[in-house]
Each structure stands twice: as structure tokens, then as C-alpha cells.
Amino acid sequence: MTRRRAAVSAATTTDWFDGVDHVHVHETADPELVVAEYRLHGRVLATGKRFAFDMVMFARVRDGLITWSRVYSNPLDGAIAFGATEGLFAAVTAAQGSAAHDDLAGARLS
């Protein structure tokens, strides 16, 4: 496990979810597909800091059971809640630098 992944893992065991609101379930053309938006509220146990994450969930339901799901949120919400904005900024900056390097390398090949 990488150091970053270990830090995220440790941080996510220090939160407490205590509410959900702003729930909106979207109609889809696929009767098995459920798309829901909601806001998840909680607090970081280590600091007591409150947070709210806007979430989107896609789930496939068959015979009353969830057979597949994906949940998406804004990573900035999590970085702010867990005091990790500097790490997120560094990762985004590094990724942008790598993409710019790839673009330049491609330009040289053509």
C-alpha cells in the first residue's frame, strides 16, 4: 500500500456519518438503474470538524437486490474535511505537469 493510500485509509476510519438530505432520485429509461443525488453529513472524529459531501450514486437493482453500484463525490470536499488540500493540490499539479510533458513529447514525434 502506498503512503498516500495508507494516509487516506487512516483518515477515512476517523469519520462519522450522521445524516443524509437533499435526496433526489432521477428517473431513467432502464428499469434496473437507479440514479440518486444526496448530501451526506458527518464529522471527522479526530478533530470534530463537521463536513457535508454532495454524492451521486448509480445502482443496478435486480429482484430487490443491489447487484452493482458506483458512488461519486467531489474530492475537494474530502480534502477539505480531512485537511488534505495541499496533498490534493500537489497531486493535481503533478498530473497536469505530466499531461503537459506527454503533449510536448507527442508534438516532437509528429
Side-chain angles (χ1 to χ4, degrees), residues 49-60:
K49 183 176 181 176
R50 303 280 314 153
F51 61 80
F53 297 157
D54 290 320
M55 313 288 284
V56 178
M57 176 184 220
F58 296 84
R60 184 157 302 284

Side-chain angles (χ1 to χ4, degrees), residues 1 14 20 25-26 38 44 47 49 55 57 68 75 84 87 96:
M1 181 179 296
T14 60
V20 175
V25 178
H26 296 272
Y38 56 96
V44 178
T47 64
K49 183 176 181 176
M55 313 288 284
M57 176 184 220
W68 171 91
Q96 286 177 334

Side-chain angles (χ1 to χ4, degrees), residues 3-17 43-47 51 53 78-79 81-84:
R3 194 171 94 187
R4 183 180 302 160
R5 188 172 290 218
V8 169
S9 178
T12 57
T13 61
T14 60
D15 56 9
W16 180 261
F17 302 113
R43 69 182 167 87
V44 178
L45 295 178
T47 64
F51 61 80
F53 297 157
F82 293 104

Side-chain angles (χ1 to χ4, degrees), residues 28-72:
T28 68
D30 182 344
E32 292 185 342
L33 181 64
V34 176
V35 178
E37 293 182 74
Y38 56 96
R39 180 168 294 151
L40 184 62
H41 296 269
R43 69 182 167 87
V44 178
L45 295 178
T47 64
K49 183 176 181 176
R50 303 280 314 153
F51 61 80
F53 297 157
D54 290 320
M55 313 288 284
V56 178
M57 176 184 220
F58 296 84
R60 184 157 302 284
V61 179
R62 196 171 288 141
D63 297 324
L65 300 173
I66 297 174
T67 61
W68 171 91
S69 69
R70 295 290 184 272
V71 178
Y72 299 93

